[in-house]
């Protein structure tokens, strides 16, 4: 199968002739859009797959690959792969969501959710309760409850950190309450 040259003889590489679209007329749609390097590589990948499946001879494959690398527009690439199963359209680079169903194995892994800063603060204050004799228990409890509320609203992570701060904070508050109660009872008895 022979493909028409996009360049008229004697005019060199600077004077491309427009390729006809499906209706046989020059297209002003995406077919006339300048091809990117990624578009050319996708077309060559389709050609390689067609050659590997035995759909064309090596000489035809080599000619088409050469034309793909020399192509200026997406329309030229479309013509090169239109008779192959993966054709006829060389897809433009996808910048947004991937069109159509894509198996999960081929999708990028989702980014882990951000850890809530107040949950980290609650865990730190809860851990410092042991060192400070329980003086950071109240901030640990306040930060822990605030963090859990924010995490439910925003979807951030850090539930374990917030719970650690809450447990250690409440234990230090309970320890202080028990010690003050014992001191008060000792003052009344003594």
């Amino acid at each position: 199968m022979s493909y028409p040259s996009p360049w008229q003889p004697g005019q060199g590489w600077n004077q491309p002739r427009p390729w006809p679209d499906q209706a046989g007329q020059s297209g002003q749609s995406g077919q006339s859009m300048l091809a990117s390097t990624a578009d050319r590589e996708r077309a060559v990948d389709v050609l390689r797959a067609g050659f590997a499946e035995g759909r064309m001879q090596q000489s035809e494959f080599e000619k088409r690959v050469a034309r793909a690398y020399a192509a200026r527009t997406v329309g030229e690439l479309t013509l090169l792969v239109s008779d192959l199963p993966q054709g006829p359209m060389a897809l433009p680079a996808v910048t947004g969501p991937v069109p159509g169903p894509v198996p999960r194995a081929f999708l990028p892994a989702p980014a882990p959710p951000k850890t809530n800063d107040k949950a980290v603060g609650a865990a730190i204050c809860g851990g410092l309760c042991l060192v400070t004799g329980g003086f950071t228990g109240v901030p640990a409890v306040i930060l822990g409850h605030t963090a859990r509320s924010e995490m439910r609203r925003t979807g951030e992570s850090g539930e374990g950190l917030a719970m650690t701060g809450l447990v250690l904070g409440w234990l230090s508050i309970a320890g202080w309450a028990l010690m003050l109660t014992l001191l008060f009872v000792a003052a009344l008895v003594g």
Side-chain angles (χ1 to χ4, degrees):
M1 174 177 265
S2 139
Y3 291 94
S5 172
W7 293 278
Q8 296 174 357
Q11 293 189 1
W13 294 92
N14 295 331
Q15 301 297 324
R17 183 178 60 173
W19 281 83
D21 63 5
Q22 299 288 343
Q25 302 171 357
S26 299
Q28 294 300 322
S29 62
Q31 300 294 319
S32 63
M33 181 174 57
L34 291 177
S36 69
T37 302
D39 294 330
R40 290 182 191 91
E41 290 298 327
R42 277 189 290 277
V44 169
D45 287 343
V46 172
L47 292 171
R48 283 186 186 127
F51 177 68
E53 293 171 353
R55 296 183 186 275
M56 66 182 96
Q57 299 295 319
Q58 184 168 359
S59 60
E60 182 181 358
F61 167 71
E62 291 170 355
K63 286 178 189 175
R64 287 193 191 195
V65 168
R67 294 179 92 104
Y69 283 124
R72 287 190 40 118
T73 65
V74 173
E76 294 172 42
L77 295 173
T78 301
L79 284 175
L80 290 173
V81 298
S82 63
D83 59 345
L84 297 173
Q86 290 88 356
M89 186 72 177
L91 296 174
V94 177
T95 57
V98 177
V102 175
R104 292 190 91 152
F106 296 110
L107 292 175
K114 179 184 175 290
T115 303
N116 186 287
D117 294 331
K118 290 181 180 152
V120 173
I124 291 172
C125 288
L128 289 176
C129 285
L130 304 172
V131 179
T132 63
F135 287 116
T136 57
V138 173
V141 169
I142 292 171
L143 286 171
H145 283 295
T146 306
R148 292 188 73 211
S149 172
E150 282 183 9
M151 288 185 291
R152 279 192 293 271
R153 233 182 19 252
T154 63
E156 293 175 318
S157 66
E159 183 69 27
L161 295 170
M163 286 304 294
T164 301
L166 281 171
V167 168
L168 293 174
W170 280 117
L171 284 175
S172 72
I173 290 172
W176 272 104
L178 179 65
M179 186 170 60
L180 289 176
T181 303
L182 291 176
L183 286 175
F184 182 71
V185 168
L188 287 178
V189 172

